[in-house]
Amino acid sequence: MAKFSRIAIANRGEVAVRIIKACEELGIETVLLHSEADINTRAYRMATKTICIGPAPTAESYLNIKANVDGALAGGAQAIHPGFGFLSENADFAEAVTKAGLTFIGPSAESIRSLGDKVHCKELAKKAGLPLVPGYQGENQDVAHLILEAEKIGFPVIVKAAAGGGGRGMKLIKSSAEAKELIESAQREAQSAFGSPKVFLEKYLDRAKHIEFQVFGDSTGNVIHFFDRECSVQRRHQKIIEEATSPSLSDDLRRRMGEAACAIATLGKYKGAGTVEFLLQDNEFYLLEVNTRLQVEHPVTEEVLGVDLVKMQILTAQGEFVHDPKQVRVPRGHSIECRIYAENPFMGGVPSTGLLGHVEWPEGPGRRYEYGFDAGDTITPYYDPMIAKVIVWDETRSRAIQKMIRVLQDSVVFGVHTNIPYLIEILSHKEFVMGTMTTRFIETYFAEALKEPELTSLDKKIAEGALLQLRGGGMQNQGASNSPWASYWRGI
């Protein structure tokens, strides 16, 4: 296969920037396929060429298969990288890209259909003898039948969208009395988000840890794993903090889970980067799902193993990357990633949009930043509120935690609220420090909004100075209060 000279990016934000950087490393030009709302962004300024594929609503731009394929062809690209989210796990998109004569940088449409559909994936896992959470994955989607199946499993039960992910279409059912309403709600949300109302049921494990393995299928179809990540710190089933490797696995458990991850990926004829997710409780693990794409938290794996997963994805799509059996990869040190969201932690995490007046990520050894916005860019209400990822590496987990807290304290995001104070509280909690947190960690300890700290005289002087500096700069901040402090946040 010929080498790519230009790759189209069907995505936005920090992952688009990440892909552009990998392409630059390989001497490949890029075409950013963007919406009308994403003109003033970092990826827009960095890409070799930009093509607008539609207005802000995702259904009319980032989720529009034809617009993305047509944009890539018009931009002269030979391949499309889908990033994560949007169309990254859409088999129809992968198929349309291939039919248009382009290369889809990711697994085949067949693999996405085989592993990306949660129900089909579990059927495949059964054949491989992998442990599954007790549940119901049948075709009968009648609500009354689903309630009977939930009662057989025993409450609490979790209902999930078969074609879903990221917490969408997922509901926790604690009793028969609320089952009908929650199942119907999950079916409606699944239809709206993924185009299919199909759901399945699983026993809810209330003391589980979320452990995942990074798998990678090379150009020849040989699958290996790049060890594990722990993502137990979740809010509403969405990850907030991730780390590599997990502090919860013994060497034997890590070996067995890694073998299971490779087994299911091999059955799905997997090529490229993917993730096999497990729940771990009482030293027993259960297959949760397979994500057939690059993962948001891939940098922590890159940090402990010294690999470039995006570069490997591109080389694999070109038919060039093959695992070297003589190269033994062993994780070194510990890495943690925090997702920075534009939201107000003192108001329960309500989104915060507006103009970024100033942004400062403090440089230093073992620090890495993935971000899609610079000072002067606008955080809009149209997309996911994640504006950046902060990643640290250090020799031990405890040092990595301390480094992350220092980095967050020194980071400055001026113009919108962020969850930085929330992240510092979580990192400082004794359960996180001990590594004993479960997926109920946030629900148990951080269900309430943070209490806003009182301002010192120095804080007020800083705020007054900042306001004087910004006055006349056209700063906007939707939903902001009248407090001068509410217009920005310094993570201290």
Side-chain angles (χ1 to χ4, degrees):
M1 183 179 290
K3 291 184 179 180
F4 305 134
S5 60
R6 184 175 285 188
I7 289 175
I9 299 166
N11 217 298
R12 62 178 300 280
E14 52 86 22
V15 69
V17 172
R18 173 72 182 88
I19 297 164
I20 291 171
K21 286 185 174 180
C23 288
E24 288 176 346
E25 180 85 5
L26 293 167
I28 299 171
E29 294 182 342
T30 51
V31 182
L32 182 71
L33 307 174
H34 66 91
S35 75
E36 292 172 355
D38 277 336
I39 290 176
N40 293 318
T41 62
R42 193 164 180 238
Y44 184 89
R45 291 186 288 274
M46 290 177 66
T48 311
K49 188 178 179 66
T50 58
I51 292 182
C52 184
I53 55 169
T58 55
E60 300 175 46
S61 51
Y62 293 110
L63 291 176
N64 185 327
I65 290 176
K66 187 175 185 306
N68 278 279
V69 173
D70 289 348
L73 290 170
Q78 297 93 42
I80 297 181
H81 195 306
F84 43 69
F86 295 132
L87 295 170
S88 62
E89 293 185 276
N90 188 309
D92 293 339
F93 181 52
E95 208 163 61
V97 170
T98 305
K99 282 183 178 175
L102 302 168
T103 300
F104 182 75
I105 300 179
S108 66
E110 180 189 10
S111 287
I112 295 173
R113 288 198 175 97
S114 176
L115 296 171
D117 183 285
K118 314 305 178 196
V119 173
H120 189 271
C121 179
K122 288 179 185 299
E123 290 170 355
L124 206 62
K126 277 183 187 175
K127 292 178 185 175
L130 268 63
L132 296 171
V133 179
Y136 172 77
Q137 296 94 33
E139 293 298 321
N140 190 338
Q141 294 290 298
D142 181 74
V143 174
H145 180 76
L146 290 170
I147 293 172
L148 284 176
E149 292 293 339
E151 289 171 342
K152 285 183 196 172
I153 296 166
F155 295 102
V157 164
I158 195 159
V159 55
K160 298 180 179 179
R168 302 291 303 276
M170 192 181 295
K171 308 287 178 186
L172 177 62
I173 308 172
K174 296 179 180 175
S175 68
S176 294
E178 60 186 24
K180 184 174 185 296
E181 180 183 347
L182 291 174
I183 289 171
E184 289 177 342
S185 173
Q187 288 176 327
R188 285 194 300 271
E189 194 170 327
Q191 175 66 48
S192 171
F194 311 110
S196 167
K198 190 175 181 181
V199 297
F200 64 98
L201 306 171
E202 279 182 350
K203 177 71 179 172
Y204 179 65
L205 302 179
D206 60 357
R207 291 174 289 105
K209 282 178 162 285
H210 183 117
I211 311 291
E212 61 187 31
F213 275 72
Q214 176 71 57
V215 294
F216 201 99
D218 69 10
S219 305
T220 67
N222 180 34
V223 176
I224 67 169
H225 74 77
F226 289 137
F227 291 87
D228 49 288
R229 299 184 284 255
E230 175 151 352
C231 315
S232 297
V233 181
Q234 300 178 6
R235 180 182 56 183
R236 297 189 287 273
H237 310 295
Q238 290 187 319
K239 301 161 189 171
I240 302 173
I241 297 176
E242 302 100 338
E243 57 186 309
T245 57
S246 166
S248 310
L249 303 186
S250 65
D251 289 345
D252 178 62
L253 191 54
R254 178 169 284 121
R255 177 187 58 76
R256 289 191 287 126
M257 293 177 74
E259 289 174 354
C262 289
I264 186 74
T266 301
L267 274 174
K269 300 176 182 175
Y270 203 81
K271 187 177 286 187
T275 302
V276 182
E277 299 192 339
F278 297 100
L279 290 177
L280 175 70
Q281 183 166 304
D282 301 328
N283 222 33
E284 297 291 336
F285 65 91
Y286 308 90
L287 178 70
L288 185 60
E289 63 184 27
V290 178
N291 292 139
T292 57
R293 55 172 165 77
L294 186 71
Q295 204 85 337
V296 176
E297 56 271 27
H298 74 276
V300 293
T301 295
E302 294 184 328
E303 290 300 309
V304 297
L305 287 175
V307 296
D308 184 333
L309 292 168
V310 180
K311 187 175 167 183
M312 286 164 55
Q313 282 185 302
I314 296 169
L315 294 175
T316 299
Q318 289 184 161
E320 291 183 19
F321 181 78
V322 178
H323 295 305
D324 181 357
K326 295 178 183 174
Q327 187 175 7
V328 179
R329 292 184 170 87
V330 179
R332 174 180 165 271
H334 198 85
S335 183
I336 299 174
E337 173 183 291
C338 286
R339 303 186 186 194
I340 310 298
Y341 289 110
E343 62 182 35
N344 189 336
F346 307 114
M347 295 180 67
V350 295
S352 178
T353 59
L355 185 72
L356 287 177
H358 181 69
V359 181
E360 190 173 323
W361 306 113
E363 296 295 333
R367 302 174 179 194
R368 170 175 167 180
Y369 305 99
E370 306 265 323
Y371 55 97
F373 301 94
D374 295 312
D377 292 342
T378 300
I379 307 299
T380 70
Y382 302 112
Y383 310 112
D384 185 285
M386 186 174 76
I387 59 175
K389 300 184 303 198
V390 176
I391 304 105
V392 301
W393 178 93
D394 216 316
E395 287 88 353
T396 65
R397 184 173 186 269
S398 61
R399 288 181 186 174
I401 293 172
Q402 289 307 311
K403 178 178 285 185
M404 178 62 87
I405 291 173
R406 285 196 303 276
V407 170
L408 293 176
Q409 287 173 335
D410 292 341
S411 296
V412 179
V413 178
F414 197 84
V416 298
H417 292 278
T418 75
N419 63 336
I420 285 177
Y422 188 67
L423 293 166
I424 293 172
E425 290 287 326
I426 292 170
L427 290 161
S428 305
H429 194 278
K430 65 179 181 181
E431 273 209 25
F432 185 85
V433 172
M434 293 170 64
T436 54
M437 63 286 181
T438 70
T439 52
R440 294 189 65 190
F441 174 70
I442 295 292
E443 176 187 340
T444 304
Y445 299 108
F446 295 94
E448 304 293 329
L450 292 189
K451 184 180 178 183
E452 192 160 7
E454 293 185 7
L455 301 185
T456 65
S457 58
L458 177 60
D459 292 332
K460 292 175 181 175
K461 286 183 179 177
I462 292 172
E464 288 169 1
L467 279 176
L468 285 173
Q469 192 176 9
L470 286 171
R471 187 164 289 164
M475 181 176 165
Q476 299 171 8
N477 188 18
Q478 297 177 19
S481 75
N482 293 324
S483 163
W485 190 253
S487 62
Y488 81 105
W489 173 258
R490 180 182 167 87
I492 54 177

